[in-house]
């Protein structure tokens, strides 16, 4: 059986396997956010940052992460991931 550079079967490694259609291999998240974003300049992401700021909440940095790291704990953004289809 073939394996990836991380010694896992092909297609099972969250670092190596392809992202689902409509999700970029690198996505953008914040510590307090509920969504993953394809674009760090996403209007929805930045309006969430503005809303948190207006409420006096902490503003967390926008960080790039691998899609698989964010995919299990966040939903794709309806604005910048519109072509992602759930099964």
């Amino acid at each position: 059986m073939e394996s990836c550079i991380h010694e896992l079967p092909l297609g099972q490694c969250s670092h190596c396997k392809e992202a689902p259609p409509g999700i970029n291999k690198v996505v953008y998240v914040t510590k307090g956010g509920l969504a993953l974003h394809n674009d760090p300049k996403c209007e929805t992401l930045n309006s969430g940052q503005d809303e948190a700021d207006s409420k006096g909440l902490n503003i967390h940095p926008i960080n790039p992460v691998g899609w698989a790291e964010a995919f299990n704990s966040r939903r794709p953004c309806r604005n910048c991931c519109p072509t992602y289809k759930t099964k």
Side-chain angles (χ1 to χ4, degrees):
M1 177 182 287
E2 285 189 71
S3 58
C4 73
I5 63 170
H6 303 103
E7 299 181 8
L8 293 168
L10 289 180
Q12 292 186 12
C13 178
S14 64
H15 298 286
C16 295
K17 71 180 177 180
E18 290 294 315
I23 303 296
N24 292 344
K25 189 169 179 110
V26 173
V27 295
Y28 299 88
V29 298
T30 61
K31 181 179 176 185
L34 301 175
L36 61 89
H37 302 269
N38 278 333
D39 185 348
K41 295 179 178 157
C42 172
E43 184 179 314
T44 304
L45 172 58
N46 289 300
S47 68
Q49 294 281 75
D50 292 343
E51 182 179 346
D53 187 44
S54 71
K55 292 179 178 179
L57 301 173
N58 290 330
I59 303 301
H60 301 288
I62 298 169
N63 295 310
V65 298
W67 75 270
E69 182 180 338
F71 199 75
N72 291 328
S73 60
R74 294 177 169 86
R75 60 176 170 68
C77 173
R78 66 184 174 272
N79 185 38
C80 65
C81 305
T83 59
Y84 172 74
K85 303 282 189 241
T86 58
K87 293 181 181 175

